[in-house]
Amino acid sequence: MTDINFNNISVDILTVPLFIEKGVEISVLRLDKIHPLISGNKWFKLRYYLEEAKQQNKKTIVTFGGAWSNHILATAATCKMNGFNSIGIIRGENPANLSPTLLQSQAEGMQLFFITREQYSQKIIPAELNTAEDYFINEGGYGVNGAEGAATILDHCHKQSYDKIGCACGTGTMVAGLINAAQSMQEVIGISVLKNNTALQEKVQSLLQNEDRNFQFIHDYHFGGYAKYKSELIDFMNMFYQQTGIPSDFVYTGKLFYGFYQLVKNNSFQPGCRILLIHSGGLSGNSSLEKGMLIF
Ligand SMILES: *Cc1c(COP(=O)(O)O)cnc(C)c1O
């Protein structure tokens, strides 16, 4: 098991002709490089939950997710690294063939329970679980501890240097942490990767510590919804890799980078604007794509 490697984190300034032409400086905070399985933002979102579980002498962490959940895999690997047992409650019936994400989670020692979509939406917990001894983490690490951990992402760059900070949003936990950690004159821009994600605003709002923060969510770049894509997105990800050497994933960061290209194209930013984009990882999710679609 490799450790989390913070020394690998870099801030890459993109020398993309479009950005240079528009006078916009875009840098990418490379959290994708900290660990092959616990990728990107997931370790940050989990860190304070695990500290709390340790303080409460819990031995087992229970969390929730779908068959392709980066959060499930990251929880499995982080628990193994920190000496916790882990249990994943997975949405949907036990399939004949487990997804690569679930196979890897099992290999990291996670015990999997499958529940129906109805049970999942009602948060019905399998009766076999000893709920008093277990520590529960919400799907996607959503919650106050998750946002507090995500706020520490910005300790890995010189955050004062940027006018805007951009990231992809699923549950909104990461963006809430970034908003809490940002300075009042900075704007945080969240690209939603879900379709019609009207709950995002409220979910983020309930995790915020300050009233005076400057942020917005953009709902135009989900490509049909969560984990949906079109060939235009895949072509963009390949082009982005050729231009920058940075791999992205089709569920989150591909949509983030695509969205910012469009925003720059549409003159949404003043010349001289300095933007930091969070590469929140997720690259292992690309294994659900057909081989050969991506050049990296
Ligand atoms: C989970 C994940 C996100 C979304 O984070 P939230 O805190 O749920 O909004 C973004 N990017 C990647 C790569 C992820 O795996």
Side-chain angles (χ1 to χ4, degrees):
M1 186 82 210
T2 43
D3 282 337
I4 304 282
N5 198 341
F6 299 108
N7 293 330
N8 280 353
I9 298 177
S10 60
V11 178
D12 299 355
I13 298 183
L14 305 186
T15 53
V16 167
L18 169 70
F19 301 161
I20 294 167
E21 180 198 323
K22 301 282 188 184
V24 174
E25 187 186 289
I26 298 197
S27 306
V28 177
L29 182 65
R30 298 288 306 276
L31 304 183
D32 56 309
K33 298 195 289 186
I34 63 171
H35 191 278
L37 303 180
I38 309 170
S39 100
N41 65 4
K42 295 297 184 275
W43 181 84
F44 290 93
K45 291 201 289 180
L46 287 169
R47 59 186 297 187
Y48 293 133
Y49 289 116
L50 294 194
E51 270 185 26
E52 189 172 85
K54 220 166 250 171
Q55 277 162 12
Q56 296 177 2
N57 275 321
K58 306 279 187 181
K59 303 278 180 285
T60 301
I61 307 292
V62 184
T63 195
F64 304 83
W68 295 96
S69 165
N70 296 336
H71 165 73
I72 286 285
L73 177 56
T75 303
T78 312
C79 284
K80 185 174 179 191
M81 192 184 280
N82 289 281
F84 288 103
N85 304 317
S86 65
I87 294 177
I89 300 182
I90 310 301
R91 184 180 57 231
E93 303 292 350
N94 194 350
N97 295 308
L98 291 182
S99 67
T101 307
L102 294 184
L103 283 174
Q104 263 178 328
S105 303
Q106 256 181 353
E108 294 297 307
M110 182 177 260
Q111 202 186 344
L112 302 177
F113 284 93
F114 291 85
I115 62 176
T116 65
R117 285 170 188 276
E118 294 75 57
Q119 289 171 324
Y120 191 92
S121 63
Q122 291 164 37
K123 294 204 159 71
I124 295 176
I125 294 170
E128 303 95 297
L129 297 189
N130 184 344
T131 50
E133 283 182 10
D134 298 342
Y135 184 88
F136 282 75
I137 301 178
N138 286 332
E139 179 181 58
Y142 177 79
V144 171
N145 285 344
E148 258 171 42
T152 67
I153 285 173
L154 294 181
D155 296 347
H156 295 273
C157 66
H158 192 254
K159 71 176 179 189
Q160 301 90 315
S161 304
Y162 306 100
D163 304 306
K164 318 242 177 218
I165 298 170
C167 73
C169 303
T171 64
T173 312
M174 167 170 58
V175 76
L178 296 174
I179 295 167
N180 286 333
Q183 295 174 321
S184 52
M185 76 288 185
Q186 292 174 317
E187 183 186 30
V188 178
I189 301 175
I191 304 286
S192 173
V193 303
L194 282 75
K195 190 176 173 178
N196 301 329
N197 191 5
T198 46
L200 182 63
Q201 178 88 21
E202 201 183 304
K203 284 177 82 178
V204 171
Q205 204 85 44
S206 71
L207 298 176
L208 297 187
Q209 294 162 344
N210 302 295
E211 294 293 313
D212 65 339
R213 291 299 130 111
N214 194 358
F215 60 92
Q216 62 165 313
F217 301 118
I218 295 179
H219 295 272
D220 300 336
Y221 304 113
H222 56 71
F223 285 89
Y226 183 72
K228 299 267 186 347
Y229 62 90
K230 299 193 166 73
S231 57
E232 191 186 349
L233 177 64
I234 304 297
D235 292 346
F236 169 80
M237 289 163 62
N238 284 330
M239 189 273 294
F240 184 71
Y241 181 74
Q242 273 172 335
Q243 280 194 334
T244 65
I246 299 177
S248 54
D249 77 292
F250 76 98
V251 182
Y252 295 101
T253 54
K255 294 177 183 182
L256 168 72
F257 296 133
Y258 181 95
F260 271 83
Y261 265 64
Q262 299 310 312
L263 291 169
V264 172
K265 236 180 231 168
N266 301 338
N267 301 314
S268 303
F269 306 114
Q270 301 280 344
C273 186
R274 288 164 308 172
I275 302 172
L276 179 73
L277 300 183
I278 311 298
H279 194 318
S280 42
L283 299 174
S284 64
N286 286 340
S287 61
S288 71
L289 296 175
E290 240 172 78
K291 273 207 169 56
M293 283 173 79
L294 294 172
I295 59 172
F296 49 86

